[in-house]
Amino acid sequence: MPELPEVEALALDLRGRLAGRAITKVHVAAFSALKTFDPPLSALEGTLVDDVTRHGKFLDIDASGLHVVLHLARAGWVRWREEVPALPPKASNKSPLAVRIVLDDDTGLDVTEAGTRKSLALYVVRDPADVPGIAALGPDPLTDEFTVEALAEILQREGRKQVKGVLRHQGTIAGIGNAYSDEILHAARMSPYKPANSLDDAELATLYAAVRDTIGAAVERSRGLAASELKGEKKSNLAVHGRTGKPCPVCGDTVREVSFADSSLQYCPTCQTGGKPLADRRMSKLLK
């Protein structure tokens, strides 16, 4: 799933490609992706792209005051096309193509979604805040408003919730997903099951630094990369996420996994849980 660093890099890459260009057509091949009807897609025809920005994990293409907002969900991606086919795409459950944005010189963007679980979303709005997911976002972890005091308030407000879930909840902190929450907790040497309101001052400072450093470093590594390079860059720099059974790069212990209904987390027992493996919900309802 694209998270804050990848979406930030996508926004930067697309800004360079799209700024000042005219949108001639937007085709929706997966009708379930379009979440709005006013303004209509036709209102985008002839608009000029002024900017491409990010709100959490949402991409925002600002075109003459209208906003094309994309949420790539679990398996979505954006691909640049040097030449767009003359015929509009046909709706098909077998094709990964969800949306095609055509520009004034017949180049454009294909927005795709792999797999059968279709969650990608396209909004056309006058104000990004009209998108419910954007309106509900928590603070961005790289902005000045995300201070250690702000994090402390969030953790206390969330009570006994597990810190892993707090980090990846978009209404609490914007942009952090499953992968980077694993990476942040590994950097902080903290169990994903630790209750949010149980951190002492030293643990709070460590977690805050891990959030800023992990996300900030990923953004810097991704900056300037083309969309086609971002997935590989992310995967090659992960310490624990997606590395079940491999050695921890810090201590050499085996990276473990806990699986849930639709996701999983990875962690290092030596670095994060005092050497004790966490119970897997597939095996037991008791979380240690």
Side-chain angles (χ1 to χ4, degrees), residues 239-255:
V240 291
H241 185 80
R243 291 176 50 84
T244 303
K246 296 180 180 179
C248 168
V250 173
C251 72
D253 194 1
T254 301
V255 174

Side-chain angles (χ1 to χ4, degrees), residues 146-156 163 167 173 184 188 190 194-212:
F146 187 74
T147 61
V148 67
E149 292 80 14
L151 178 59
E153 291 177 7
I154 288 169
L155 296 175
Q156 288 302 311
V163 67
L167 287 175
I173 303 172
I184 288 165
M190 188 172 295
K194 189 172 182 64
N197 65 355
S198 69
L199 277 64
D200 60 29
D201 289 346
E203 290 171 326
L204 172 65
T206 298
L207 180 61
Y208 177 78
V211 171
R212 299 280 283 202

Side-chain angles (χ1 to χ4, degrees), residues 266-284:
Q266 286 82 43
Y267 68 99
C268 170
T270 294
C271 291
Q272 296 176 251
T273 60
K276 186 177 182 181
L278 298 171
D280 192 325
R281 284 185 174 178
R282 295 175 301 179
M283 307 293 293
S284 171

